[in-house]
DNA sequence: TTAATTTGTTAGAACAGTCTAACTTTTTAA
DNA sequence: TTAAAAAGTTAGACTGTTCTAACAAATTAA
């Protein structure tokens, strides 16, 4: 078993390696708010536990074992976030810090019940995929309205936010889940988008709103 | 702020002092599964933090500050247990270990939402009172199965003990919180009781067990 | 290509929390 | 009332996690 601290290192290494594949000591130190020697000594420990492969002056890389552990932590974090938003109705901006603590709870049952209650969700409230209990990630990335190609038509599949004010806003714009929309134009300046709706009406959404709407 | 370890010491001191008022180093060491010198050095620390009053060879006693902290931890533990049972529908015998972890989560919002969702409960699933957010405890008499009048039917509201072996025992007998039971007979000789259960089965409990079950 | 900068390392200290071994004080019982 | 047992303490060590100071390697820019 890993300590809480080790889990945080593993999670951060995974997150940073998503972009680059390899992680630098300095990056990790910055992310975790510790100094480089702390990272250095932790890498020695994690290497001896075979969760990272690490040689002096070479980058840090998770082993297969390490990746598995990272995915398990990420699963717990994302399930917790979704649970806090959907079941406990907390604001999506306030759940991160709580999920950061809940992710370290050691109890298979706790998480399997969350999973059940949320009906085995594939994505967290931010649209990030939730690994399943075997560490498998549903890789088909979700597309948000803010990244849809101009001219294409898509169906609104979900919104990444359940807040009443947000849903009210969409309602006021005349948008519903299941509606087909065509992306007429995206403003390069502020990322706002103009949609053609089935109702023939044109709808303007800010980037902030568009990026929280998932389409298929 | 207290560390997780400090919180566990404070909680245990409170629990042990409920009976006697004063706690011995050896008691506490046993309860926390550590050796006496560990308790000794922790007492020095907690004394310097003014959460216990402690002088060599004298007993350990929580200060007002310490009591307040203990009640806050106990509140979090009991809210968590009730939440796990009522909202997450976990078995009452499996929630203790999870609550033991959740009680250390640092987030007012998390607990105030639990409290709201549970409609500001006064007792946890074991019938223990839940301190309110100011540390006030609602004391109110409860009836145990061992004092229920013969022939009456009641609903199992709570059990007064957290031990897994006890909860397992009840489970094995087929008893759950919320079950209706009718008291068929109480043996004057040993105080054991025979219950008629909703499942039509008759269940025999010893006095020792019956007095730890609260009914409504 | 050398010098400056960035990045990474080692050595050594500190703190939290634990332990064992040895000792002291208090309590209990012969 | 004194000897044995129980309870409590101190000293010193160890692990996990962090730090600062000093040095070494790699990268970047002059």
């Amino acid at each position: 078993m890993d300590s809480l601290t080790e889990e945080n290192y593993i999670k951060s290494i995974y997150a940073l390696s998503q972009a680059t594949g390899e992680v630098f000591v300095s990056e990790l130190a910055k992310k975790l708010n510790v100094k480089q020697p702390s990272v250095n000594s932790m890498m020695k420990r994690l290497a001896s536990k075979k969760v990272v492969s690490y040689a002096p002056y070479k980058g840090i890389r998770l082993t297969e074992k390490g990746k598995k552990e990272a995915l398990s932590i990420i699963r717990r974090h994302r399930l917790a976030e979704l649970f806090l938003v959907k079941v406990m109705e907390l604001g999506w901006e306030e759940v991160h810090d709580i999920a950061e603590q809940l992710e370290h709870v050691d109890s298979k049952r706790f998480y399997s019940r969350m999973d059940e209650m949320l009906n085995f969700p594939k994505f967290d409230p931010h649209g990030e995929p939730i690994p399943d209990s075997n560490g498998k990630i549903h890789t088909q990335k979700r597309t948000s309205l803010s990244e849809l190609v101009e001219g294409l038509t898509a169906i609104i599949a979900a919104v990444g936010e359940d807040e009443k004010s947000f849903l009210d806003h969409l309602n006021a714009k005349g948008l519903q889940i299941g509606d087909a929309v065509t992306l007429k134009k995206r403003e390069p300046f502020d990322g706002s988008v103009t949609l053609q709706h089935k109702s023939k009406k044109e709808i303007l959404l800010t980037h902030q709103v568009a990026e929280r709407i998932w389409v298929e």
Side-chain angles (χ1 to χ4, degrees), chain A:
Chain A
M1 242 306 86
D2 301 312
S3 71
L4 188 149
T5 314
E6 287 167 344
E7 288 199 344
N8 284 333
Y9 272 91
I10 293 169
K11 191 176 52 141
S12 295
I13 294 168
Y14 184 90
L16 291 173
S17 70
Q18 280 306 83
T20 51
E22 232 178 25
V23 178
F24 301 102
V25 171
S26 51
E27 270 184 305
L28 194 48
K30 200 170 182 184
K31 172 127 183 163
L32 289 165
N33 273 309
V34 296
K35 304 295 176 183
Q36 296 185 163
S38 306
V39 172
N40 186 268
S41 67
M42 184 56 92
M43 288 314 101
K44 286 176 181 170
R45 170 149 15 145
L46 291 182
S48 84
K49 283 186 148 197
K50 308 255 185 266
V51 321
V52 303
S53 65
Y54 170 73
Y57 296 104
K58 305 283 178 266
I60 300 159
R61 212 175 261 279
L62 287 173
T63 61
E64 278 312 306
K65 186 184 172 199
K67 270 178 210 153
K68 230 180 118 184
E69 290 178 21
L71 286 167
S72 158
I73 301 161
I74 287 163
R75 168 181 161 75
R76 300 192 307 258
H77 181 94
R78 293 182 180 165
L79 268 182
E81 279 204 336
L82 195 60
F83 182 87
L84 291 167
V85 168
K86 293 254 166 155
V87 176
M88 296 193 69
E89 293 171 20
L90 289 163
W92 73 319
E93 74 291 345
E94 57 187 344
V95 300
H96 181 80
D97 291 346
I98 305 175
E100 202 77 6
Q101 299 179 67
L102 291 183
E103 75 192 10
H104 302 292
V105 167
D106 178 23
S107 164
K108 278 211 169 78
R109 280 291 283 143
F110 184 54
Y111 287 101
S112 67
R113 271 303 289 148
M114 275 191 187
D115 207 12
E116 263 171 56
M117 289 177 77
L118 294 165
N119 207 22
F120 309 100
K122 299 280 184 293
F123 299 95
D124 79 359
H126 308 292
E128 299 296 328
I130 301 175
D132 70 20
S133 51
N134 301 313
K136 285 256 155 52
I137 287 192
H138 246 249
T139 38
Q140 53 272 45
K141 197 178 166 281
R142 280 218 265 192
T143 315
S144 83
L145 255 183
S146 64
E147 45 194 16
L148 186 62
V149 174
E150 271 183 85
L152 284 190
T153 298
I155 299 197
I156 297 179
V159 294
E161 206 171 333
D162 263 347
E163 254 164 57
K164 195 169 181 315
S165 60
F166 183 69
L167 297 170
D168 285 348
H169 178 71
L170 295 186
N171 251 351
K173 294 274 186 184
L175 291 174
Q176 300 266 343
I177 282 181
D179 286 1
V181 291
T182 305
L183 195 117
K184 300 302 273 190
K185 187 159 179 35
R186 171 179 298 104
E187 295 297 335
F189 173 62
D190 62 2
S192 65
V193 296
T194 308
L195 306 173
Q196 173 87 54
H197 189 242
K198 58 169 187 189
S199 70
K200 304 285 184 209
K201 270 196 342 206
E202 288 209 338
I203 298 174
L204 181 79
L205 298 180
T206 62
H207 177 72
Q208 216 193 16
V209 171
E211 74 178 350
R212 283 170 200 154
I213 301 178
W214 310 107
V215 297
E216 280 165 357

